[in-house]
Amino acid sequence: MPKYYDDKEEEDGRACGGVREDLRQCLLESPCVLQENKSPKQCLREGHCRSLQVTFFACKRSMVSVGAVFSASGL
């Protein structure tokens, strides 16, 4: 069960810290890691905790400023 907390970002200093921690916990507690003894990275590639992975990606993508993208591209 996700335990997302907005203030997690401030604790670890990284964007989307709460979702990152939920994804980490989900992977570490998954049967893929616990029973099959695979690495969390390998389980992530196999599609475990997919919804949290998508949420984390969306959170990280939302951190990119549209203005910064345009100024970096020279438009």
Side-chain angles (χ1 to χ4, degrees), residues 39-68:
S39 72
K41 188 174 187 177
Q42 187 175 3
C43 294
L44 190 62
R45 286 185 187 145
E46 292 178 3
H48 295 272
C49 304
R50 186 76 176 149
S51 62
L52 282 171
Q53 182 183 16
V54 170
T55 302
F56 180 63
F57 177 76
C59 180
K60 292 292 279 186
R61 192 172 73 190
S62 73
M63 302 304 289
V64 177
S65 166
V66 174

Side-chain angles (χ1 to χ4, degrees), residues 4-20 63:
Y4 179 75
Y5 300 104
D6 287 326
D7 56 344
K8 270 281 198 193
E9 292 179 35
E10 297 164 11
E11 288 177 19
D12 68 5
R14 294 195 263 181
C16 308
V19 179
R20 178 191 313 266
M63 302 304 289

Side-chain angles (χ1 to χ4, degrees), residues 23-53:
L23 178 58
R24 182 180 161 278
Q25 279 303 118
C26 178
L27 288 168
L28 291 175
E29 295 172 1
S30 71
C32 179
V33 171
L34 295 176
Q35 295 169 359
E36 298 173 28
N37 295 320
K38 295 180 182 178
S39 72
K41 188 174 187 177
Q42 187 175 3
C43 294
L44 190 62
R45 286 185 187 145
E46 292 178 3
H48 295 272
C49 304
R50 186 76 176 149
S51 62
L52 282 171
Q53 182 183 16

